[in-house]
Amino acid sequence: MERILKEQNMPKHIAVIMDGNGRWAKMRGLPRSEGHKRGVERLREILEAAKEAGVEVLSVYAFSIENWMRPEQEISVIMNLLETALKKDLLTFMKEKVRFKVIGNRQRLSPETRGIIEAVEEQTAGNNGITLQCALSYGGRDEVIRAVKKLMASGADQEAVTEESLSALLDTSDMPDPDLIIRTSGEQRLSNFLLWQSAYSEFYFTSTLWPDFTKEEFLEAIHEYQSRSRRFGAVDTSEEYPAFAERP
Ligand code: IPE
Ligand code: IPE
Ligand code: MG
């Protein structure tokens, strides 16, 4: 079903935990690598859908810092897929004005991977369309610790430690917080994704495995987001009944 979305209530930033590639492959008797391959195709479609919907930032969890614990062979499949996809998609990024950037602990990436992502980041830095923020070798706790270390190294005194000064040192410093976080595959957890930034995010969990996640379901998630009341701890003044009506 085609969804009618309210343009004025579009999430600026959507973050996606692309989970379930391995299970998708296993169900079909295929190697896990096939699930990851299919996952890359899904990402292309969802990026396109996000762009069409007018979303400003699409963040995707591609590889967590804990994923380094996986077998070496699977890690190399994922890194190779990423490198190949970036080389292939650079032209499209330029044509579609996509800005690409990576968040995460780069020190753990191989020099080859780092070289390719840095080249694509540099080339797309001036693009003013949607930003594709890719979390790679990323852990929310690791990101906060790295930010605290930077703050300490700057010699900041206690007064200078504020939510703003810490936010400014996170990998996501130039991005708004995610309005909506989608997780596929039925798991209902963050798995160390955007811990600081998700303080007031809305969540959409679906049992759909990432290789089966479609543009239609992505729009469904935005539709559901638009039906939520985001109060940020305050009282919703648009509510119909007066919550604290004065007594006669
Ligand atoms: C998500 O799919 C992709 C990565 C974590 C790299 P998984 O590989 O976690 O797939 P499942 O969860 O085992 O099905
Ligand atoms: C989270 O998925 C990381 C990515 C999707 C890249 P995992 O499959 O690694 O998470 P857990 O282990 O189920 O929490
Ligand atoms: Mg998983």
Side-chain angles (χ1 to χ4, degrees):
M1 183 174 48
E2 227 4 75
R3 287 288 186 189
I4 314 257
L5 299 174
K6 297 184 210 101
E7 246 172 73
Q8 73 283 8
N9 188 18
M10 215 24 102
K12 273 195 167 70
H13 181 178
I14 300 183
V16 187
I17 302 174
M18 309 182 290
D19 197 13
N21 295 351
R23 278 164 280 173
W24 182 91
K26 193 175 176 194
M27 277 166 57
R28 287 161 178 79
L30 298 168
R32 293 176 65 87
S33 56
E34 285 304 311
H36 295 313
K37 260 190 220 160
R38 170 90 174 208
V40 175
E41 288 168 27
R42 295 293 85 219
L43 175 53
R44 289 196 180 102
E45 181 180 318
I46 298 309
L47 176 64
E48 182 68 29
K51 191 176 67 92
E52 277 171 19
V55 171
E56 291 171 23
V57 184
L58 180 72
S59 290
V60 292
Y61 207 3
F63 191 85
S64 75
I65 204 150
E66 285 78 24
N67 288 152
W68 288 115
M69 291 185 293
R70 294 195 180 193
E72 220 171 284
Q73 199 231 340
E74 178 166 356
I75 296 175
S76 101
V77 162
I78 294 170
M79 294 301 160
N80 284 334
L81 271 173
L82 175 91
E83 291 170 20
T84 315
L86 279 180
K87 285 182 202 158
K88 189 172 161 203
D89 289 355
L90 179 58
L91 271 178
T92 318
F93 288 171
M94 296 315 288
K95 208 168 70 201
E96 311 271 334
K97 308 233 179 317
V98 176
R99 178 154 81 105
F100 174 81
K101 65 166 282 205
V102 164
I103 55 171
N105 193 320
R106 294 179 190 226
Q107 273 175 356
R108 298 191 64 175
L109 296 170
S110 75
E112 292 76 40
T113 310
R114 227 179 306 156
I116 292 169
I117 62 178
E118 279 167 12
V120 177
E121 283 179 328
E122 264 171 47
Q123 293 207 48
T124 63
N127 289 350
N128 57 5
I130 191 169
T131 296
L132 175 62
Q133 177 167 259
C134 181
L136 190 66
S137 184
Y138 176 88
R141 289 183 175 182
D142 172 75
E143 182 191 31
V144 171
I145 295 297
R146 284 187 287 108
V148 169
K149 284 185 176 163
K150 284 183 227 166
L151 199 58
M152 289 177 78
S154 74
D157 57 21
Q158 268 191 39
E159 247 76 296
V161 184
T162 62
E163 293 190 9
E164 288 72 28
S165 66
L166 194 72
S167 294
L169 293 169
L170 295 173
D171 299 346
T172 52
S173 58
D174 51 346
M175 297 291 149
D177 286 341
D179 300 296
L180 169 64
I181 298 184
I182 298 173
R183 183 167 187 154
T184 57
S185 91
E187 312 301 350
Q188 302 194 359
R189 54 178 171 261
L190 273 175
S191 302
N192 209 1
F193 191 41
L194 300 177
L195 297 183
W196 172 278
Q197 300 86 342
S198 60
Y200 270 101
S201 301
E202 297 295 327
F203 289 88
Y204 178 89
F205 294 113
T206 171
S207 59
T208 304
L209 302 173
W210 176 250
D212 288 329
F213 191 74
T214 57
K215 182 179 166 175
E216 285 69 36
E217 191 168 4
F218 180 72
L219 297 181
E220 174 61 35
I222 299 181
H223 187 259
E224 154 109 31
Y225 164 87
Q226 294 191 329
S227 73
R228 308 259 180 99
S229 158
R230 300 183 77 190
R231 289 183 289 276
F232 300 97
V235 176
D236 189 349
T237 47
S238 71
E239 274 170 20
E240 283 139 32
Y241 60 92
F244 298 101
E246 277 187 33
R247 284 167 194 269

